[in-house]
Amino acid sequence: MRAVLMAGGSGTRLRPLTCDLPKPMVPILNRPIAEHIINLLKRHQITEVVATLHYLPDVMRDYFQDGSDFGVQMTYAVEEDQPLGTAGCVKNIAELLDDTFLVISGDSITDFDLTAAIQYHKQKKSKATLVLTRVPNPMEFGVVITDEESRIRRFLEKPSTSEIFSDTVNTGTYILEPEVLEYLPANQESDFSKDLFPLLLEKNEPMYGYIAEGYWFDVGHLDAYREAQYDGLYHKVKLDFDYNEVSPGLWVGQNTFIDPAAKIDTPAVIGDNCRIGARVHIEAGTVIGDNITIGSDANLKRPIVWNGAILGEEAQLTACVICRGARVDRRAHVLEGAVVGSLSTVGEEAQISPFVRVWPSKKIESGAILNINLIWGNTAQRNLFGQRGVQGLANIDITPEFAVKLGAAYGSTLKPGSRVTVSRDQRNVSRMVTRSLIAGLMSVGIEIQNLDATAIPIARTVIPTMSVSGGIHVRMHPDRPDYILIEFMDAKGINITKSAEKKIEGAYFKEDMRRAQIHEIGDVAYPSQVMDRYCTAFEKLLHIESIRNSRAKVVIDYVYAVSGAVLPQMLDKFGADAVVLNASLNKAAMSAIEREALLTQLGQVVEVLKANFGVQISANGEQLILVDESGIPIRGEMLTALMIDMMLTAHPRGTVVVPVNASSAVEQIARRHDGKVIRTKANPAALMEACQKNSNVVLGGNGDIGFIVPQLHPGFDAMFCAAKLIEMLTIQERSLASVRSELPRVVHKTYTVRCPWTVKGALMRYLVETHPAENLELIDGVKICQPYDDSWVLVLPDASEPVVHLYANANDRDWVDESLRQYRARVQAFVETEEEQALGEV
């Protein structure tokens, strides 16, 4: 049998280790990852290996040559022009694969029983067998769902937290029959998980998952790289060592001198031709390469030191990586998680702070304290984008330096000379971040249309009219007054796709930003009539005469933000009476408690003035809470139901889009009006996308996130909703209190349960496996539906916290209370069991 070794990766998230090495050639226990894989293949009598290469192909070819020194026959296939993807590069060598063959990833460490997996493949008469394993946190991997026969039924590539339906993941090892390659186009980029396997699923080809026992670890980032070394040292994985075990747990190479006064704790590895000075202390877990010199009194606490490095006297290294030929001078400190790139020098008594990366061939001056990446900013983060944009603590995570680099990274994904809008809320910190983003964008040749302090619905409305490539909006986070949220929009005003986010992250982490020449640096323009464009679009979608004839009185609470500023002007223009509260823009960001106090005040003012209703607008124009004529707040699920009832009354047989966790009152209202309900994942981007993709959508969103009227613009807009309410109440001759009284009586409750990140995937798999498939909905989280009615329970993992949210929904209050109690106990018991097992393994 032949094996295809997938060795094309550049290992972006392992920078700076992979600046001059392809990822499979990064050393683990002083041997390249690829050599450990070849040793595994040999143990299972697979000696014909084809390596597919793209990034720095000569490094691997020079090391392995024809493979004879390693007991295998090596051939190479190089993707010369562009990467063909995991499946495309195998399709490219189809003529070499005339029998069952094995594909194995070149960037993971494993000791799986490949012989057993191949036997399983043949026994099942499978066309494609995926070697699977179970991991505590499946978010970084492709999740695979199989049936009771182990036949594959579903794939989910790198799921978000709420999409985790299982902890069984794809390891990148496949056993394939050559005919499956006929499904792939020649000389085109294609991927096994995204293209070939879904196609085989669609064609109903026999495709099975083999859950392998043993060790598997994806060396995908620096923390994982260090952990794989430690696991090898502690025999958690079966790996071959290059050196003799001179005493239990201590492997030492040839021609190495260790001073008798040195102290070495085991396990540890020391390579060939090393010189270890007097009183050096090497702690357990340390890996030292070949040709290393370590000065006296140095202290090594579990570092990984590559070949040819020089460590000075009294140097202090802690759980860091020192790359090939680097030098750490006397009394210098390299702290936990830091990386010193190949041929770099850390001067005497200098300090590299935790998780800071130094790129190759750099020099840190003596006595310097390096707190950020040497090139530009701190690149220790794994991801920039969360569930809704880039977010972090104001002026701590989201700093001017960070924003400059983020702007340059985004601009580098666009063509030079492209135009981008930039807008923000009125806070000073948002102004600071925006100016830094603008500087970064200009530095890579991007032209700026600065909308300045603008409500986000206005920005979304005007972006499609301005011939721009996209837009950025900066504001205080709607749910965290100490957080900044930076959102990126495409040319239509919709939040950018995940693939666009990945491109920005790639440019950011690789430091891959172009530099414009002086005459190419971008300019900043301040477009006029932005508000007029929004108002024109606003007016087109309203029945102005109805508002004018209503003589409505509305009380608007600005909540000390710029977002509501346009609404009173519009209502006044339409002849409605708008009373404004809390209009100052100088107050600091509001806490949730302060907003509640303002809501109480709003209710009192509405009642005293005998107004039609009140509206509190927040989240820079996106979110609203209503107050009816009696001063009673309407929000959350009741607000969702009220808005949908009014919109479907105005537009019978219309479609509404709501998140998966919205109450079943939505379906009951839709049935009254012969309407259609589409449910999406519980995040803003999913709601926006569904509103744009589906026809006849009259409203999207819910009371907690906001509402979308897609005919106006693709985002949430509290201001338009308030004006639309006046129109609908007038035409329908109703009041908010009367609408509320007619809403379905649905009981909808929620409860939050602690669930560690490492348990979420196993919990979702457990829920899927312990319920009948016909009762499950897997839009987002796991929803268990009762047949024949609208009752259901939803278990939804939180995207940013180690918790899961439980939702119970029914017409029967007792059923809801009992279901919440049962599932709360069920989840808590599962979490406790998993944690006890993990503790037992430790």
Side-chain angles (χ1 to χ4, degrees):
M1 175 182 281
R2 277 196 174 93
V4 179
L5 175 59
M6 309 290 290
S10 62
T12 301
R13 291 169 65 190
L14 280 175
R15 302 286 193 192
L17 306 187
T18 55
C19 287
D20 54 0
L21 282 179
K23 190 174 174 183
M25 295 303 292
V26 169
I28 299 282
L29 301 181
N30 298 344
R31 281 183 167 178
I33 295 173
E35 188 174 345
H36 290 295
I37 293 170
I38 285 170
N39 287 339
L40 173 67
L41 295 172
K42 275 197 307 182
R43 286 202 291 271
H44 294 277
Q45 287 73 54
I46 301 172
T47 56
E48 293 184 52
V49 181
V50 183
T52 63
L53 311 177
H54 176 68
Y55 178 68
L56 301 176
D58 289 341
V59 176
M60 180 174 280
R61 282 193 295 208
D62 291 347
Y63 185 86
F64 289 105
Q65 298 187 26
D66 64 1
S68 56
D69 289 345
F70 300 87
V72 295
Q73 177 187 325
M74 292 284 290
T75 52
Y76 304 93
V78 180
E79 302 167 62
E80 298 286 359
D81 301 323
Q82 62 178 17
L84 292 172
T86 57
C89 65
V90 176
K91 171 71 172 180
N92 207 31
I93 56 169
E95 69 276 4
L96 300 177
L97 307 170
D98 53 2
D99 199 355
T100 306
F101 63 96
L102 180 138
V103 174
I104 189 163
S105 168
D107 53 12
S108 57
I109 292 292
T110 182
D111 56 11
F112 285 160
D113 186 343
L114 300 180
T115 301
I118 293 164
Q119 288 171 349
Y120 178 89
H121 172 85
K122 292 178 177 176
Q123 173 198 332
K124 289 286 188 179
K125 297 181 179 176
S126 175
K127 289 293 178 66
T129 298
L130 280 66
V131 179
L132 310 177
T133 192
R134 287 181 175 148
V135 297
N137 184 2
M139 286 180 64
E140 292 295 315
F141 311 107
V143 169
V144 179
I145 297 176
T146 58
D147 62 16
E148 60 277 4
E149 299 293 326
S150 296
R151 191 157 178 162
I152 291 170
R153 294 301 179 193
R154 186 173 178 185
F155 295 98
L156 193 60
E157 187 68 15
K158 295 189 178 178
S160 65
T161 310
S162 58
E163 292 177 311
I164 298 171
F165 305 134
S166 173
D167 59 352
T168 307
V169 303
N170 179 0
T171 65
T173 300
Y174 316 124
I175 303 150
L176 305 174
E177 295 303 317
E179 55 261 36
V180 300
L181 299 180
E182 294 171 10
Y183 285 105
L184 294 171
N187 301 314
Q188 286 186 29
E189 184 174 354
S190 57
D191 184 88
F192 281 118
S193 296
K194 294 177 186 173
D195 300 311
L196 179 59
F197 295 151
L199 187 58
L200 295 179
L201 208 58
E202 184 184 320
K203 300 292 185 182
N204 205 31
E205 293 280 16
M207 184 165 49
Y208 289 84
Y210 174 78
I211 299 178
E213 299 296 327
Y215 180 96
W216 176 81
F217 202 74
D218 177 50
V219 188
H221 50 81
L222 289 170
D223 290 344
Y225 173 69
R226 292 193 307 276
E227 193 170 337
Q229 308 267 359
Y230 304 145
D231 288 349
L233 276 177
Y234 285 93
H235 296 298
K236 291 184 180 180
V237 55
K238 182 181 178 182
L239 297 178
D240 297 330
F241 287 74
D242 251 347
Y243 315 109
N244 292 327
E245 190 171 10
V246 297
S247 61
L250 178 61
W251 292 266
V252 178
Q254 297 178 358
N255 195 32
T256 283
F257 171 79
I258 301 173
D259 190 280
K263 180 185 178 187
I264 303 174
D265 302 328
T266 58
V269 168
I270 302 172
D272 296 330
N273 306 313
C274 294
R275 297 292 178 266
I276 313 295
R279 297 173 302 281
V280 168
H281 186 189
I282 297 173
E283 293 194 9
T286 298
V287 178
I288 296 171
D290 299 335
N291 308 307
I292 307 288
T293 300
I294 304 176
S296 59
D297 299 293
N299 192 354
L300 277 63
K301 298 179 180 178
R302 300 182 302 123
I304 290 96
V305 185
W306 290 13
N307 296 351
I310 299 172
L311 310 180
E313 296 175 1
E314 299 182 55
Q316 306 283 320
L317 275 59
T318 305
C320 56
V321 180
I322 309 298
C323 293
R324 175 182 56 84
R327 197 176 92 203
V328 180
D329 286 346
R330 185 169 64 96
R331 294 182 184 166
H333 289 234
V334 184
L335 302 182
E336 184 169 357
V339 177
V340 177
S342 298
L343 306 177
S344 288
T345 299
V346 181
E348 289 190 10
E349 301 188 12
Q351 177 177 301
I352 311 296
S353 295
F355 303 104
V356 168
R357 304 183 195 184
V358 177
W359 252 240
S361 303
K362 300 294 178 285
K363 180 175 176 61
I364 292 105
E365 299 293 333
S366 297
I369 298 176
L370 192 64
N371 292 318
I372 60 173
N373 182 291
L374 181 60
I375 295 178
W376 190 15
N378 179 3
T379 59
Q381 293 170 270
R382 294 185 194 168
N383 297 301
L384 289 177
F385 287 85
Q387 192 164 12
R388 55 188 303 178
V390 178
Q391 62 185 42
L393 285 164
N395 214 23
I396 295 174
D397 299 320
I398 309 296
T399 61
E401 304 94 316
F402 171 86
V404 168
K405 182 177 173 185
L406 178 62
Y410 170 49
S412 294
T413 68
L414 306 174
K415 292 179 180 177
S418 297
R419 299 202 306 168
V420 166
T421 67
V422 178
S423 54
R424 60 177 176 83
D425 68 14
Q426 84 287 357
R427 308 292 179 198
N428 276 344
V429 67
S430 301
R431 178 191 289 119
M432 175 191 77
V433 171
T434 301
R435 287 177 174 174
S436 299
L437 282 164
I438 289 172
L441 287 162
M442 292 172 66
S443 75
V444 295
I446 301 299
E447 304 289 331
I448 312 299
Q449 296 289 305
N450 191 346
L451 307 183
D452 221 340
T454 309
I456 193 167
I458 297 174
R460 290 192 194 276
T461 302
V462 301
I463 281 174
T465 72
M466 299 184 71
S467 301
V468 294
S469 299
I472 306 177
H473 188 82
V474 180
R475 56 172 162 156
M476 301 305 295
H477 197 288
D479 305 320
R480 292 285 304 266
D482 55 345
Y483 263 51
I484 284 281
L485 174 62
I486 305 172
E487 291 174 280
F488 292 78
M489 294 166 272
D490 65 15
K492 296 178 181 177
I494 304 172
N495 284 24
I496 62 173
T497 62
K498 288 293 178 190
S499 61
E501 289 178 356
K502 292 298 181 189
K503 285 182 181 177
I504 297 170
E505 286 180 343
Y508 181 93
F509 287 124
K510 286 190 288 188
E511 312 264 346
D512 189 14
M513 275 78 79
R514 64 174 176 260
R515 280 286 172 266
Q517 297 181 42
I518 291 176
H519 67 277
E520 297 171 331
I521 289 173
D523 199 2
V524 181
Y526 294 84
S528 59
Q529 300 179 322
V530 169
M531 189 78 78
D532 293 343
R533 295 186 211 184
Y534 175 72
C535 292
T536 301
F538 195 107
E539 288 180 49
K540 283 181 180 176
L541 292 176
L542 290 173
H543 194 275
I544 306 301
E545 285 306 310
S546 297
I547 298 177
R548 192 165 282 127
N549 295 336
S550 71
R551 301 186 180 279
K553 178 178 283 187
V554 180
V555 183
I556 304 166
D557 181 6
Y558 275 13
V559 199
Y560 301 106
V562 71
S563 56
V566 67
L567 183 57
Q569 299 173 27
M570 297 294 292
L571 294 181
D572 183 59
K573 181 178 177 181
F574 303 154
D577 183 5
V579 178
V580 172
L581 303 179
N582 306 315
S584 166
L585 301 183
N586 297 323
K587 189 174 174 64
M590 301 287 294
S591 68
I593 294 173
E594 289 173 314
R595 282 210 303 267
E596 283 298 311
L598 295 184
L599 190 62
T600 302
Q601 176 199 64
L602 175 61
Q604 293 166 347
V605 174
V606 167
E607 204 172 359
V608 168
L609 294 180
K610 294 183 169 48
N612 295 74
F613 65 89
V615 56
Q616 184 183 82
I617 296 177
S618 59
N620 205 20
E622 286 194 332
Q623 295 175 11
L624 77 160
I625 297 174
L626 297 177
V627 171
D628 72 11
E629 59 269 33
S630 303
I632 299 171
I634 301 174
R635 55 180 157 187
E637 295 303 319
M638 184 174 289
L639 178 57
T640 307
L642 181 141
M643 289 294 297
I644 286 172
D645 184 77
M646 298 202 70
M647 286 297 279
L648 287 178
T649 300
H651 304 280
R653 294 179 295 282
T655 298
V656 293
V657 176
V658 294
V660 67
N661 55 334
S663 87
S664 63
V666 174
E667 279 81 7
Q668 295 184 34
I669 293 166
R671 287 195 285 267
R672 292 178 185 175
H673 301 282
D674 198 20
K676 178 184 174 184
V677 177
I678 295 172
R679 288 187 177 256
T680 73
K681 296 173 186 174
N683 67 65
L687 287 162
M688 281 187 255
E689 186 179 339
C691 286
Q692 291 298 309
K693 282 172 61 176
N694 294 283
S695 60
N696 201 30
V697 174
V698 296
L699 191 72
N702 74 351
D704 293 326
I705 302 175
F707 296 98
I708 300 167
V709 180
Q711 293 75 23
L712 177 62
H713 63 78
F716 307 94
D717 194 330
M719 299 179 290
F720 181 78
C721 286
K724 188 70 176 174
L725 270 172
I726 299 173
E727 174 204 294
M728 293 189 295
L729 289 171
T730 304
I731 293 173
Q732 297 171 24
E733 297 182 343
R734 304 163 88 185
S735 67
L736 288 187
S738 68
V739 177
R740 188 178 59 190
S741 68
E742 296 167 6
L743 297 175
R745 296 289 180 260
V746 175
V747 183
H748 183 272
K749 291 186 177 181
T750 183
Y751 190 86
T752 298
V753 182
R754 186 188 72 84
C755 181
W757 292 105
T758 53
V759 178
K760 285 183 180 180
L763 173 63
M764 294 298 106
R765 175 170 58 86
Y766 161 73
L767 292 170
V768 169
E769 290 175 350
T770 53
H771 291 88
E774 62 270 18
N775 292 354
L776 295 180
E777 282 184 14
L778 302 178
I779 296 170
D780 205 5
V782 176
K783 183 185 267 190
I784 303 102
C785 304
Q786 299 303 304
Y788 314 120
D789 68 10
D790 292 323
S791 304
W792 47 259
V793 173
L794 171 66
V795 184
L796 184 66
D798 192 279
S800 54
E801 299 290 335
V803 297
V804 295
H805 303 290
L806 307 181
Y807 298 87
N809 176 97
N811 296 326
D812 183 343
R813 183 174 298 276
D814 291 339
W815 187 91
V816 167
D817 291 339
E818 177 61 19
S819 297
L820 263 188
R821 187 193 65 75
Q822 284 183 10
Y823 277 88
R824 183 175 70 196
R826 195 167 179 170
V827 170
Q828 287 171 336
F830 185 85
V831 169
E832 288 168 7
T833 301
E834 289 290 306
E835 289 185 317
E836 285 170 6
Q837 288 178 355
L839 198 59
E841 289 174 7
V842 172

